[in-house]
Amino acid sequence: EFSQFYEAYMCENVKAGQLVQSLSAIDDDDPHGGQHFSYSLSPEAASNPNFTLKDNQDNTAWILTRRSGFRQQEQHTYYLPVVISDNGLPPLSSTSTVTVRVCSCDIDGDIMSCTAEPYTLPVSLSRGALIAILACIFISLVMILLILSMRRHKKQPCIIDEDENFHEN
């Protein structure tokens, strides 16, 4: 089985052939080592158009991209079943799944967000700035409504002054 839980993160602008994750395994039956592990994709994932698995023949394997141009809005998570076999007697194998998440990254390749968002903000506009802008717009609307209400109230006098009330007799 895998030596740890693997959850890989990759940028949308990843290139074909780029390393996504390095894998290693342990044998719970023989924790002292000395065994050789081989890695392969499970039969249902062997013809995967997105990822390939390279067995390094040194008890490690690499998950590599087969293509470029992943889009977080199209699919933000991929599940890759990997078969790990040992050279023990009898030979045993297990299947473990690697989770690969597609992330939006900045120009330097630093991850910004790994969740699919219906609306993405420009790099220069933070969520705090967006909230401040919306609060200003809300306050402006409230002030406009108050001013209009006060103008309407001025047109209708509250007290009728007797001197201003002229009637012809």
Side-chain angles (χ1 to χ4, degrees):
E1 68 182 35
F2 285 141
S3 58
Q4 65 185 41
F5 173 75
Y6 287 108
E7 184 170 35
Y9 299 91
M10 67 175 195
C11 294
E12 288 179 313
N13 59 353
V14 69
K15 305 288 184 224
Q18 191 166 336
L19 175 66
V20 175
Q21 182 70 52
S22 181
L23 307 174
S24 63
I26 57 169
D27 188 348
D28 286 336
D29 299 332
D30 186 11
H32 301 298
Q35 61 282 80
H36 175 73
F37 295 108
S38 60
Y39 300 85
S40 62
L41 291 176
S42 67
E44 65 269 11
S47 61
N48 187 313
N50 302 307
F51 303 99
T52 187
L53 186 89
K54 180 183 182 230
D55 188 341
N56 297 320
Q57 303 299 317
D58 63 355
N59 287 343
T60 65
W62 290 344
I63 296 175
L64 304 167
T65 56
R66 280 195 172 174
R67 64 178 181 91
S68 58
F70 289 86
R71 290 191 31 86
Q72 191 178 23
Q73 275 71 21
E74 291 172 8
Q75 187 171 350
H76 58 85
T77 305
Y78 293 88
Y79 300 100
L80 200 59
V82 177
V83 178
I84 307 161
S85 304
D86 67 10
N87 63 343
L89 288 172
L92 299 174
S93 67
S94 69
T95 302
S96 298
T97 302
V98 177
T99 304
V100 179
R101 298 198 187 279
V102 179
C103 305
S104 59
C105 300
D106 63 14
I107 249 170
D108 298 325
D110 297 323
I111 294 174
M112 293 175 14
S113 169
C114 287
T115 56
E117 297 177 9
Y119 176 74
T120 56
L121 300 174
V123 176
S124 61
L125 188 63
S126 68
R127 290 191 192 278
L130 181 64
I131 290 171
I133 291 169
L134 291 174
C136 288
I137 291 171
F138 177 74
I139 290 170
S140 298
L141 287 173
V142 168
M143 300 241 336
I144 290 171
L145 289 174
L146 282 173
I147 290 170
L148 290 174
S149 174
M150 287 175 60
R151 281 187 180 174
R152 183 181 299 159
H153 188 66
K154 271 187 178 179
K155 289 180 182 177
Q156 298 172 351
C158 293
I159 301 171
I160 299 176
D161 193 8
E162 296 246 350
D163 294 336
E164 294 177 18
N165 192 4
F166 293 106
H167 293 288
E168 278 187 42
N169 289 337

